[in-house]
Amino acid sequence: MPAVGLARRNLCQILSVTALGGMSVLAWFGLLHVLRHGPIHYTFGGWTPPLGIEWVMDPLSSIIVFLIAIISLVVSIHSIPGIKKQFKSSSIPFFILTLLLVSGLAGMTFAGDLFNLFVFLEVASLSGYALVASGEGRALLAAFRYLLMGTVGTSFYLLGVGFLYAVTGTLNMSDLAVRLPLLFQSKAAILGMVFIVTGLAVKMGLFPMHGWLPDSYTYAPDSVSAIMAPIVTKIPVYALIRILFWATGAGSGSDKWQLVNYLGWLGVFGAIGGSMLAFKQINFKKMLAYSSISQIGLIVIGVSIGNSAALCGSILHIINHAFMKSCLFVIAGTVFYSRGIKNILEFARLRHEMPLTLTALVITAISMIGIPPTCGFFSKWYLIAGAFEAKKYVFGSAVIVSSFFTAAYFFRVLEKTFFGSATASANMEHGIASKTGELPFPMLFGVSFFAAVVVILGLFSGRIVSFFVRPALPF
Amino acid sequence: METIKSIRPLLCVILPLLTIPLIVFSRRRKNIREFWTLSASVTSFLVVSSMLPDIFAGNILQSSSFNLIPGISLELKADSLGLTFALVASFLWIITTIYSIGYMRRLQEKSQSRYFAAFAVCVSSTIGIAFASNLLTFLVFYEILTIVTYPLVVHKENKEAMAAGRKYLVFTLSGGAFLLAAVVLTWIITGSLDFKPGGFMGGLVSEGTVRIIFILFILGLGVKSAIMPLHFWLPSAMVAPVPVSALLHAVAVVKAGVFGILRIIYYVFGADALSNAGVLKFLAYEAVITILVASFIALKQDNLKRRLAYSTISQLSYIILGAAMHSPLALTGSILHLMNHAFMKITLFFCAGAVYVNTHKEKISEMDGIGRVMPWTMGAFACASLGMIGLPLSCGFISKFHLAWGSIEAGEIIYLFVYLASGILNAAYFLPIVYRSFFVGTSIHERYSEAGLTMRLPLLITAAFTVLFGVIVPAINSQLNLVDLTKKLLFP
């Protein structure tokens, strides 16, 4: 890539989009293959699992990888017009780092052993820090904060892996699944799990370890935050699901750990606290960042409940929320690119100028609130159903209450946009020299693609659940 | 009884939605835009009424589509109760469209395309609610209705409207949250969500659970049906343009709540299970309180639309009380009142709107002598008022008669007195308006004139219907026959 970049700067973009496109196609066929013929195990260099490194492609990991691929593909298509404006001369590192990030995340997803997961976690994290730092102004500070907390998180994770290795003598997940249940009383195993979960919780921005998240998403360049926000926090959640339900079996059944129940409470505080904080923000991207914290809380609630409905809700919400958040961040990017607006209060100006973008905004907002028939409703439905089934009424009500708060902050935006006072917007008009006219095609494509997906995922939710999500459940 | 596969119920929901792109595309040409709305409303009414013969033959029309969640699909089913509601909603949509055209153009309101588009979605989801064959489908349309009403409530875009819009959202979305919780609980406990005459919950669930789930349902549906103290959003929502208040806040939205309560009582729990658990009585008392308190508050309102709003709150509880009495006659009265009240209240709102458009007066105290310049409008108003009071020879009498008779049948004389007392209160807050407008004041209003034809015609039609359903025997009978189908189904 750097070589190509030196020769022709524009080629980089094409190369990166082609790579992601190819990845999406492969991931899609991989997913279909896995659903039809069962999981694929790949061992590096022919070394068999206990010694060698194993990659596993089962229904869950292939769904997640497809998710990563398609979202990063569409986001990078969307950011084609904006790249030059955001990065000026340094666009080549952006492409390299993005691809590195994507492959790191995909590696985390496929990893069949805990240490390999750590390696890819570091790959993804390091490229994430660098990407955030490529922004202007306070981005550097935000990136440094992200770096500090992220490193603490990964260290915790590594420490935990060390403990588990010391106790069980293996790192491979399927081996752990056999050996660990015998050692559940061992203090070292418990401590190891606590460390692993804490480390992942930092990486996913779970309350109260979310401190790094809002600033990094807000000050990162728009194309960066649009790629990072939907997937970077989801993959640690995926890793958590993988470890709790596959590698250790600590997530459900008779072996369910108390630790997992506590995790749910963090989810509750995150879900409600995050949306309350989101309500106070006037920067659109910052609001979305807090909203991410709240949604991660919801997913963790589902993981903590751990029955089939709730876990189905969590996985569905990982998918749905990834698309919703990318749509929202893509909208934020579009609005900033074409009108220079970051502030919610100025959105009123867009009313007559960008009808398509605003339609997408309305659809996604409705979906975030969880109004049927958009996709957000259905993941919440499963989460609530799972909670009630497990008789965890507090968790179920927390999901409902948090969607109520979500409604509060999204309607605040919609109200400002559609019914905001015309005088306020007239004043703004003089401040920024705005470009008028149609959006460039790639941006239009990105926005409408995600908005359409949000609706389609909702309408066909029944099929998606029975065809993709159900086979991915561990039960 | 037979279930026939048919696309017609689905068609009724989709038709109004199809107009939206047309409305958006032809937003620059007013007449074409209004033509789309009008033709969609006429077609969907025709489709709805084309199902009548099948329903009278004792069949049920059903159109299913894809699964929403595994095991539960988005399914629409036209049964007698649903068809009753859909008929009223789709017929009044035609009338309201004509009225809206007159109203919106005369006042030169902005964003008319948004208005007509949102209106179409509202009607579509109302029909969806009427035809929903399971709780999930019901919930889907119920929530859509909540959301699309919002732009209509805040249509004026001033401070007052925004405040009312927020209040509306807070109330209805929290109602939606309770409803969601109730539906999920029902699903977890019974594993089924399909409406079934006589209920599907009886015997499966302990009384305590029935109580909890029912109260959750009432908290959810009670917001839209404006049971006190969940009614606060309704009077504030009167800042919306008059046609919105007329069709949505007197017919579609609020009746969707009441209709939901009917469905819950008779098609989810079964009235027997509810009265065994003692919650039906609780609902009835709640309704009694609402009827009386809302009527007293209505007496004190000077703003005509607010007075009508409180009257709506009280009349909605008529229907709920009738449903909660657990007697066949009261149920008949309750469904009849669902229809009749729609015609009467929409007439009253149309009149209030006509007066507002022509004179810019909203307060009752300023309306002295207005009947002499607008005899048609105020004549219709008087006609509908008499119906609200429940005088014989008006449609209000027929439904109230059944309700009163039902309370005797149920052995609850208190309810009979509540209905009678409320009739007197109705007289006390409606007759002064009629009296003032015709007999008080001098010719100070000479600079005003009668409303334009597009506004006068709709209100005369609906007023004519209030008389028709009270006087003409075949009309009364056809209405009764439709209701009887439901009654026979629920009280075999």
Side-chain angles (χ1 to χ4, degrees), chain A residues 197 206 237 240-241 244-245 250-253 256-268 296-308 310-311 314 383 386-387 390 392 395 475:
Chain A
V197 171
L206 179 64
V237 183
L240 183 70
I241 294 176
L244 285 182
F245 293 91
S252 66
K256 188 167 176 176
W257 287 16
Q258 199 56 34
L259 170 70
V260 183
N261 289 335
Y262 295 143
L263 207 57
W265 284 101
L266 292 185
V268 169
I296 287 288
L298 292 182
I299 299 172
V300 171
I301 290 177
V303 174
S304 140
I305 296 163
N307 57 16
S308 105
L311 201 58
S314 284
L383 286 174
K392 305 219 165 176
F395 287 0
F475 316 106

Short mmCIF file of all heavy atoms in Angstrom, two decimals, chain A residues 197 206 237 240-241 244-245 250-253 256-268 296-308 310-311 314 383 386-387 390 392 395 475:
data_model
loop_
_atom_site.label_atom_id
_atom_site.label_comp_id
_atom_site.label_asym_id
_atom_site.label_seq_id
_atom_site.Cartn_x
_atom_site.Cartn_y
_atom_site.Cartn_z
N VAL A 197 -12.52 -10.14 31.87
CA VAL A 197 -13.77 -9.39 31.68
C VAL A 197 -13.53 -7.90 31.87
O VAL A 197 -14.03 -7.08 31.09
CB VAL A 197 -14.86 -9.92 32.65
CG1 VAL A 197 -16.07 -9.01 32.62
CG2 VAL A 197 -15.25 -11.32 32.26
N LEU A 206 -17.68 -0.06 28.42
CA LEU A 206 -18.79 -0.33 29.33
C LEU A 206 -18.70 0.62 30.51
O LEU A 206 -17.61 0.85 31.05
CB LEU A 206 -18.71 -1.79 29.81
CG LEU A 206 -19.78 -2.24 30.78
CD1 LEU A 206 -21.15 -2.18 30.13
CD2 LEU A 206 -19.52 -3.64 31.28
N VAL A 237 -17.26 -7.01 22.77
CA VAL A 237 -18.47 -7.67 23.27
C VAL A 237 -18.57 -9.07 22.70
O VAL A 237 -18.89 -10.03 23.40
CB VAL A 237 -19.74 -6.87 22.90
CG1 VAL A 237 -20.95 -7.53 23.50
CG2 VAL A 237 -19.64 -5.46 23.36
N LEU A 240 -16.28 -11.20 24.49
CA LEU A 240 -16.85 -11.55 25.79
C LEU A 240 -17.84 -12.70 25.64
O LEU A 240 -17.82 -13.67 26.42
CB LEU A 240 -17.55 -10.32 26.37
CG LEU A 240 -18.14 -10.48 27.76
CD1 LEU A 240 -17.04 -10.60 28.78
CD2 LEU A 240 -19.04 -9.32 28.11
N ILE A 241 -18.72 -12.60 24.65
CA ILE A 241 -19.69 -13.67 24.42
C ILE A 241 -18.95 -14.97 24.14
O ILE A 241 -19.26 -16.03 24.70
CB ILE A 241 -20.61 -13.32 23.23
CG1 ILE A 241 -21.48 -12.12 23.56
CG2 ILE A 241 -21.47 -14.50 22.85
CD1 ILE A 241 -22.33 -11.64 22.41
N LEU A 244 -17.36 -16.21 27.41
CA LEU A 244 -18.30 -16.63 28.44
C LEU A 244 -19.07 -17.88 28.03
O LEU A 244 -19.34 -18.74 28.86
CB LEU A 244 -19.30 -15.51 28.74
CG LEU A 244 -18.76 -14.35 29.56
CD1 LEU A 244 -19.87 -13.35 29.82
CD2 LEU A 244 -18.19 -14.84 30.87
N PHE A 245 -19.45 -17.97 26.75
CA PHE A 245 -20.35 -19.05 26.39
C PHE A 245 -19.64 -20.22 25.70
O PHE A 245 -20.14 -21.33 25.72
CB PHE A 245 -21.47 -18.53 25.50
CG PHE A 245 -22.38 -17.60 26.23
CD1 PHE A 245 -22.13 -16.25 26.23
CD2 PHE A 245 -23.44 -18.10 26.95
CE1 PHE A 245 -22.96 -15.39 26.93
CE2 PHE A 245 -24.27 -17.24 27.64
CZ PHE A 245 -24.02 -15.88 27.63
N ALA A 250 -19.07 -20.01 31.41
CA ALA A 250 -19.44 -19.32 32.65
C ALA A 250 -20.66 -18.44 32.46
O ALA A 250 -21.12 -17.79 33.37
CB ALA A 250 -18.27 -18.47 33.13
N GLY A 251 -21.19 -18.39 31.24
CA GLY A 251 -22.26 -17.44 30.96
C GLY A 251 -23.64 -17.94 31.29
O GLY A 251 -24.56 -17.16 31.53
N SER A 252 -23.82 -19.25 31.29
CA SER A 252 -25.20 -19.71 31.47
C SER A 252 -25.21 -21.06 32.14
O SER A 252 -24.17 -21.64 32.46
CB SER A 252 -25.87 -19.82 30.10
OG SER A 252 -25.25 -20.84 29.36
N GLY A 253 -26.39 -21.55 32.34
CA GLY A 253 -26.56 -22.89 32.89
C GLY A 253 -26.21 -22.96 34.36
O GLY A 253 -26.18 -21.95 35.06
N LYS A 256 -23.19 -20.93 35.80
CA LYS A 256 -23.17 -19.48 35.63
C LYS A 256 -22.53 -18.78 36.81
O LYS A 256 -22.84 -19.06 37.97
CB LYS A 256 -24.59 -18.97 35.45
CG LYS A 256 -24.65 -17.53 35.07
CD LYS A 256 -26.02 -17.13 34.61
CE LYS A 256 -26.03 -15.64 34.34
NZ LYS A 256 -27.28 -15.20 33.80
N TRP A 257 -21.65 -17.87 36.52
CA TRP A 257 -20.91 -17.19 37.58
C TRP A 257 -21.65 -15.96 38.04
O TRP A 257 -22.29 -15.28 37.28
CB TRP A 257 -19.52 -16.80 37.09
CG TRP A 257 -18.60 -17.96 36.95
CD1 TRP A 257 -18.96 -19.28 36.92
CD2 TRP A 257 -17.20 -17.92 36.81
NE1 TRP A 257 -17.87 -20.06 36.78
CE2 TRP A 257 -16.75 -19.26 36.70
CE3 TRP A 257 -16.25 -16.90 36.77
CZ2 TRP A 257 -15.42 -19.60 36.56
CZ3 TRP A 257 -14.92 -17.23 36.62
CH2 TRP A 257 -14.51 -18.57 36.53
N GLN A 258 -21.44 -15.68 39.34
CA GLN A 258 -22.01 -14.48 39.93
C GLN A 258 -21.48 -13.23 39.21
O GLN A 258 -22.20 -12.26 38.99
CB GLN A 258 -21.64 -14.44 41.41
CG GLN A 258 -22.50 -13.53 42.25
CD GLN A 258 -23.98 -13.86 42.12
OE1 GLN A 258 -24.36 -15.01 41.96
NE2 GLN A 258 -24.82 -12.84 42.14
N LEU A 259 -20.22 -13.33 38.82
CA LEU A 259 -19.57 -12.23 38.09
C LEU A 259 -20.42 -11.75 36.92
O LEU A 259 -20.56 -10.56 36.66
CB LEU A 259 -18.22 -12.76 37.59
CG LEU A 259 -17.44 -11.91 36.60
CD1 LEU A 259 -16.92 -10.68 37.30
CD2 LEU A 259 -16.30 -12.71 35.99
N VAL A 260 -21.01 -12.72 36.21
CA VAL A 260 -21.77 -12.37 35.02
C VAL A 260 -23.02 -11.59 35.41
O VAL A 260 -23.43 -10.67 34.69
CB VAL A 260 -22.12 -13.65 34.25
CG1 VAL A 260 -22.84 -13.31 32.96
CG2 VAL A 260 -20.87 -14.43 33.94
N ASN A 261 -23.61 -11.94 36.55
CA ASN A 261 -24.78 -11.18 36.99
C ASN A 261 -24.42 -9.73 37.31
O ASN A 261 -25.16 -8.81 37.00
CB ASN A 261 -25.39 -11.82 38.24
CG ASN A 261 -26.06 -13.12 37.89
OD1 ASN A 261 -26.48 -13.31 36.75
ND2 ASN A 261 -26.15 -14.02 38.83
N TYR A 262 -23.25 -9.55 37.96
CA TYR A 262 -22.82 -8.18 38.27
C TYR A 262 -22.63 -7.37 36.99
O TYR A 262 -22.93 -6.19 36.93
CB TYR A 262 -21.53 -8.18 39.08
CG TYR A 262 -21.69 -8.80 40.44
CD1 TYR A 262 -20.69 -9.58 41.01
CD2 TYR A 262 -22.87 -8.60 41.18
CE1 TYR A 262 -20.84 -10.15 42.26
CE2 TYR A 262 -23.02 -9.17 42.42
CZ TYR A 262 -22.02 -9.95 42.96
OH TYR A 262 -22.18 -10.51 44.18
N LEU A 263 -22.13 -8.06 35.98
CA LEU A 263 -21.89 -7.39 34.71
C LEU A 263 -23.18 -6.74 34.19
O LEU A 263 -23.17 -5.64 33.65
CB LEU A 263 -21.39 -8.43 33.71
CG LEU A 263 -20.51 -7.96 32.58
CD1 LEU A 263 -19.29 -7.27 33.15
CD2 LEU A 263 -20.09 -9.14 31.73
N GLY A 264 -24.28 -7.46 34.39
CA GLY A 264 -25.57 -6.94 33.96
C GLY A 264 -25.90 -5.61 34.61
O GLY A 264 -26.45 -4.72 33.98
N TRP A 265 -25.53 -5.49 35.89
CA TRP A 265 -25.81 -4.22 36.57
C TRP A 265 -25.02 -3.09 35.97
O TRP A 265 -25.52 -1.97 35.83
CB TRP A 265 -25.54 -4.35 38.07
CG TRP A 265 -26.63 -5.09 38.73
CD1 TRP A 265 -26.62 -6.40 39.11
CD2 TRP A 265 -27.94 -4.61 39.03
NE1 TRP A 265 -27.83 -6.75 39.64
CE2 TRP A 265 -28.66 -5.67 39.61
CE3 TRP A 265 -28.57 -3.37 38.87
CZ2 TRP A 265 -29.98 -5.54 40.02
CZ3 TRP A 265 -29.88 -3.24 39.29
CH2 TRP A 265 -30.57 -4.32 39.85
N LEU A 266 -23.76 -3.38 35.61
CA LEU A 266 -22.99 -2.33 34.91
C LEU A 266 -23.70 -1.95 33.63
O LEU A 266 -23.77 -0.78 33.26
CB LEU A 266 -21.58 -2.84 34.60
CG LEU A 266 -20.66 -3.07 35.79
CD1 LEU A 266 -19.27 -3.44 35.30
CD2 LEU A 266 -20.59 -1.82 36.64
N GLY A 267 -24.24 -2.97 32.95
CA GLY A 267 -24.99 -2.72 31.72
C GLY A 267 -26.17 -1.80 31.98
O GLY A 267 -26.43 -0.86 31.23
N VAL A 268 -26.88 -2.06 33.07
CA VAL A 268 -28.06 -1.25 33.40
C VAL A 268 -27.65 0.20 33.61
O VAL A 268 -28.23 1.13 33.03
CB VAL A 268 -28.76 -1.79 34.66
CG1 VAL A 268 -29.80 -0.80 35.15
CG2 VAL A 268 -29.38 -3.13 34.38
N ILE A 296 -24.22 -0.22 24.24
CA ILE A 296 -23.34 -1.30 24.69
C ILE A 296 -23.87 -1.86 26.01
O ILE A 296 -23.88 -3.08 26.23
CB ILE A 296 -21.89 -0.77 24.87
CG1 ILE A 296 -21.25 -0.52 23.52
CG2 ILE A 296 -21.06 -1.73 25.68
CD1 ILE A 296 -20.89 -1.76 22.76
N GLY A 297 -24.36 -0.94 26.85
CA GLY A 297 -24.97 -1.38 28.10
C GLY A 297 -26.08 -2.37 27.83
O GLY A 297 -26.17 -3.42 28.48
N LEU A 298 -26.93 -2.06 26.86
CA LEU A 298 -28.05 -2.96 26.54
C LEU A 298 -27.54 -4.33 26.11
O LEU A 298 -28.04 -5.37 26.55
CB LEU A 298 -28.90 -2.38 25.41
CG LEU A 298 -29.69 -1.13 25.70
CD1 LEU A 298 -30.50 -0.74 24.47
CD2 LEU A 298 -30.62 -1.38 26.86
N ILE A 299 -26.52 -4.32 25.26
CA ILE A 299 -26.01 -5.60 24.76
C ILE A 299 -25.46 -6.42 25.92
O ILE A 299 -25.69 -7.63 26.02
CB ILE A 299 -24.93 -5.35 23.68
CG1 ILE A 299 -25.53 -4.60 22.51
CG2 ILE A 299 -24.33 -6.66 23.22
CD1 ILE A 299 -24.54 -4.15 21.49
N VAL A 300 -24.74 -5.73 26.83
CA VAL A 300 -24.16 -6.45 27.96
C VAL A 300 -25.25 -6.99 28.88
O VAL A 300 -25.11 -8.09 29.43
CB VAL A 300 -23.17 -5.53 28.72
CG1 VAL A 300 -22.73 -6.16 30.02
CG2 VAL A 300 -21.97 -5.27 27.84
N ILE A 301 -26.35 -6.25 29.00
CA ILE A 301 -27.46 -6.78 29.80
C ILE A 301 -27.89 -8.13 29.24
O ILE A 301 -28.07 -9.10 29.97
CB ILE A 301 -28.66 -5.80 29.78
CG1 ILE A 301 -28.34 -4.54 30.57
CG2 ILE A 301 -29.90 -6.46 30.37
CD1 ILE A 301 -29.42 -3.51 30.55
N GLY A 302 -28.02 -8.17 27.91
CA GLY A 302 -28.43 -9.42 27.28
C GLY A 302 -27.43 -10.54 27.53
O GLY A 302 -27.80 -11.66 27.85
N VAL A 303 -26.13 -10.21 27.43
CA VAL A 303 -25.10 -11.22 27.67
C VAL A 303 -25.19 -11.72 29.10
O VAL A 303 -25.07 -12.91 29.36
CB VAL A 303 -23.70 -10.62 27.39
CG1 VAL A 303 -22.62 -11.61 27.77
CG2 VAL A 303 -23.58 -10.24 25.94
N SER A 304 -25.44 -10.78 30.01
CA SER A 304 -25.46 -11.16 31.41
C SER A 304 -26.65 -12.06 31.73
O SER A 304 -26.53 -12.97 32.55
CB SER A 304 -25.48 -9.90 32.26
OG SER A 304 -26.35 -10.04 33.33
N ILE A 305 -27.78 -11.82 31.09
CA ILE A 305 -28.93 -12.69 31.34
C ILE A 305 -28.64 -14.08 30.82
O ILE A 305 -28.90 -15.09 31.48
CB ILE A 305 -30.20 -12.12 30.68
CG1 ILE A 305 -30.55 -10.79 31.32
CG2 ILE A 305 -31.36 -13.08 30.85
CD1 ILE A 305 -31.51 -9.98 30.51
N GLY A 306 -28.10 -14.13 29.60
CA GLY A 306 -27.53 -15.37 29.12
C GLY A 306 -28.48 -16.49 28.76
O GLY A 306 -28.03 -17.60 28.55
N ASN A 307 -29.78 -16.25 28.66
CA ASN A 307 -30.61 -17.33 28.09
C ASN A 307 -30.75 -17.10 26.59
O ASN A 307 -30.25 -16.11 26.05
CB ASN A 307 -31.97 -17.42 28.79
CG ASN A 307 -32.73 -16.12 28.72
OD1 ASN A 307 -32.40 -15.25 27.93
ND2 ASN A 307 -33.73 -15.98 29.57
N SER A 308 -31.43 -18.02 25.94
CA SER A 308 -31.33 -17.98 24.48
C SER A 308 -31.98 -16.74 23.89
O SER A 308 -31.44 -16.13 22.97
CB SER A 308 -31.91 -19.26 23.90
OG SER A 308 -33.16 -19.04 23.34
N ALA A 310 -32.34 -13.75 25.31
CA ALA A 310 -31.56 -12.55 25.61
C ALA A 310 -30.29 -12.51 24.78
O ALA A 310 -29.90 -11.46 24.26
CB ALA A 310 -31.22 -12.50 27.09
N LEU A 311 -29.64 -13.66 24.64
CA LEU A 311 -28.41 -13.69 23.86
C LEU A 311 -28.70 -13.41 22.40
O LEU A 311 -27.96 -12.71 21.71
CB LEU A 311 -27.72 -15.04 24.02
CG LEU A 311 -26.23 -15.00 23.70
CD1 LEU A 311 -25.53 -13.99 24.58
CD2 LEU A 311 -25.62 -16.36 23.89
N SER A 314 -28.96 -9.83 22.16
CA SER A 314 -27.65 -9.18 22.17
C SER A 314 -27.00 -9.24 20.81
O SER A 314 -26.48 -8.24 20.30
CB SER A 314 -26.73 -9.85 23.18
OG SER A 314 -27.08 -9.48 24.46
N LEU A 383 -34.36 -8.79 23.96
CA LEU A 383 -33.70 -8.51 25.23
C LEU A 383 -34.72 -8.52 26.36
O LEU A 383 -34.51 -9.13 27.41
CB LEU A 383 -32.99 -7.16 25.17
CG LEU A 383 -31.71 -7.10 24.35
CD1 LEU A 383 -31.20 -5.69 24.26
CD2 LEU A 383 -30.66 -7.99 24.97
N GLY A 386 -36.05 -12.00 26.97
CA GLY A 386 -35.09 -12.82 27.70
C GLY A 386 -35.06 -12.45 29.17
O GLY A 386 -35.03 -13.33 30.05
N ALA A 387 -35.10 -11.14 29.44
CA ALA A 387 -35.04 -10.69 30.83
C ALA A 387 -36.26 -11.17 31.60
O ALA A 387 -36.15 -11.68 32.71
CB ALA A 387 -34.94 -9.17 30.89
N ALA A 390 -36.17 -14.86 32.31
CA ALA A 390 -35.27 -15.22 33.40
C ALA A 390 -35.72 -14.60 34.72
O ALA A 390 -35.01 -14.67 35.71
CB ALA A 390 -33.85 -14.76 33.06
N LYS A 392 -35.77 -11.55 35.44
CA LYS A 392 -34.96 -10.40 35.83
C LYS A 392 -35.72 -9.15 35.39
O LYS A 392 -35.42 -8.57 34.35
CB LYS A 392 -33.60 -10.46 35.16
CG LYS A 392 -32.90 -11.75 35.44
CD LYS A 392 -31.43 -11.54 35.65
CE LYS A 392 -30.88 -12.79 36.27
NZ LYS A 392 -29.53 -12.92 36.50
N PHE A 395 -33.77 -5.81 34.86
CA PHE A 395 -33.02 -5.69 33.60
C PHE A 395 -33.97 -5.37 32.46
O PHE A 395 -33.69 -4.51 31.62
CB PHE A 395 -32.26 -6.98 33.30
CG PHE A 395 -31.06 -7.21 34.19
CD1 PHE A 395 -30.74 -6.30 35.18
CD2 PHE A 395 -30.26 -8.32 34.03
CE1 PHE A 395 -29.64 -6.49 36.00
CE2 PHE A 395 -29.15 -8.52 34.84
CZ PHE A 395 -28.85 -7.61 35.83
N PHE A 475 -26.61 -22.52 22.26
CA PHE A 475 -27.48 -23.56 22.85
C PHE A 475 -28.08 -24.45 21.77
O PHE A 475 -28.55 -23.96 20.77
CB PHE A 475 -28.61 -22.93 23.65
CG PHE A 475 -28.15 -21.81 24.52
CD1 PHE A 475 -28.43 -20.50 24.19
CD2 PHE A 475 -27.38 -22.07 25.64
CE1 PHE A 475 -27.97 -19.46 24.98
CE2 PHE A 475 -26.93 -21.03 26.43
CZ PHE A 475 -27.22 -19.73 26.11
#
